[in-house]
Amino acid sequence: MASGKGSNLKVILKAIARGECAAQVEVVICNKADAKALNIAKDAGVPQVLFINPKDYEDREAYDIACAEVIQSAGCVLIVLAGYMRILSKAFIQAFPDQIINIHPSLLPAFKGADAVGEALKAGVKVSGCTVHYVTLELDSGEVLEQASVPILAGDTWHSLHQRIQEKEHSIYPSVIHRLITKV
Ligand code: GRF
């Protein structure tokens, strides 16, 4: 599930194509019509590439039920959030225990929330990074599966720091997915 530029989706699809990640992406769901992730998924030949419009649903629960139906009927065993900028309903999270993972641009539990990169810069810390974690009811608080750190350098801007963090995201996310998919 993605909302934006889809660079994590892209590296996951590439790792699968290279045989480095033993997953298959059956469905990509976007909540934004202009998400680049949609084109990335189509170009890679993902079987179902869907823009599901939140405006077509009465509330968050109804939207998430529609997403869950697609995911379940495709037989997915893992839900990978890759820049999915939408809070998931309690019922959705509870329907997929230990099956939803997310990547967050900080070393959790530091800097939870929507602007982890900006918060790290504001706090003046010297190290940040990214975290792959299970999604649970409490935001950005599920079990940590993997982390990677990056230095914060003098003169860093939001973009320079985010770019450095994303390089690490791209190296850890496909390997965590491989690990989970191949876990007996
Ligand atoms: C990443 O920085 C991730 O940590 C955050 O959203 C961003 C998604 O980037 N959750 P992309 O769309 O995969 O390029």
Side-chain angles (χ1 to χ4, degrees), residues 92-108:
F92 185 95
I93 293 170
Q94 287 175 334
F96 300 102
D98 287 347
Q99 285 184 286
I100 312 173
I101 61 173
N102 181 44
I103 190 153
H104 182 81
S106 76
L107 294 174
L108 290 172

Side-chain angles (χ1 to χ4, degrees), residues 135-149:
V135 172
T136 54
L137 292 178
E138 205 184 324
L139 188 70
D140 299 330
S141 299
E143 182 191 333
V144 170
L145 292 159
E146 189 70 73
Q147 290 185 307
S149 62

Side-chain angles (χ1 to χ4, degrees), residues 25 27 30 78 91 100 105-106 114 128 131 148 168 174:
V25 180
V27 188
C30 294
L78 188 67
I100 312 173
S106 76
S128 191
T131 302
K168 294 288 181 180

Side-chain angles (χ1 to χ4, degrees), residues 45-95:
V46 172
Q48 291 191 73
V49 181
L50 306 173
F51 160 53
I52 304 184
N53 191 346
K55 290 194 180 130
D56 292 341
Y57 298 86
E58 204 171 303
D59 53 24
R60 185 176 305 284
E61 283 68 28
Y63 182 84
D64 283 359
I65 286 170
C67 294
E69 280 171 4
V70 171
I71 290 163
Q72 277 159 341
S73 61
C76 298
V77 294
L78 188 67
I79 299 169
V80 176
L81 307 184
Y84 188 62
M85 300 305 286
R86 209 179 137 80
I87 301 283
L88 293 166
S89 60
K90 188 174 168 191
F92 185 95
I93 293 170
Q94 287 175 334

Side-chain angles (χ1 to χ4, degrees), residues 4-8 82-83 103-105 162 166 169:
K5 75 177 156 83
S7 70
N8 280 286
I103 190 153
H104 182 81
H162 189 233
Q166 284 227 289
E169 292 184 348

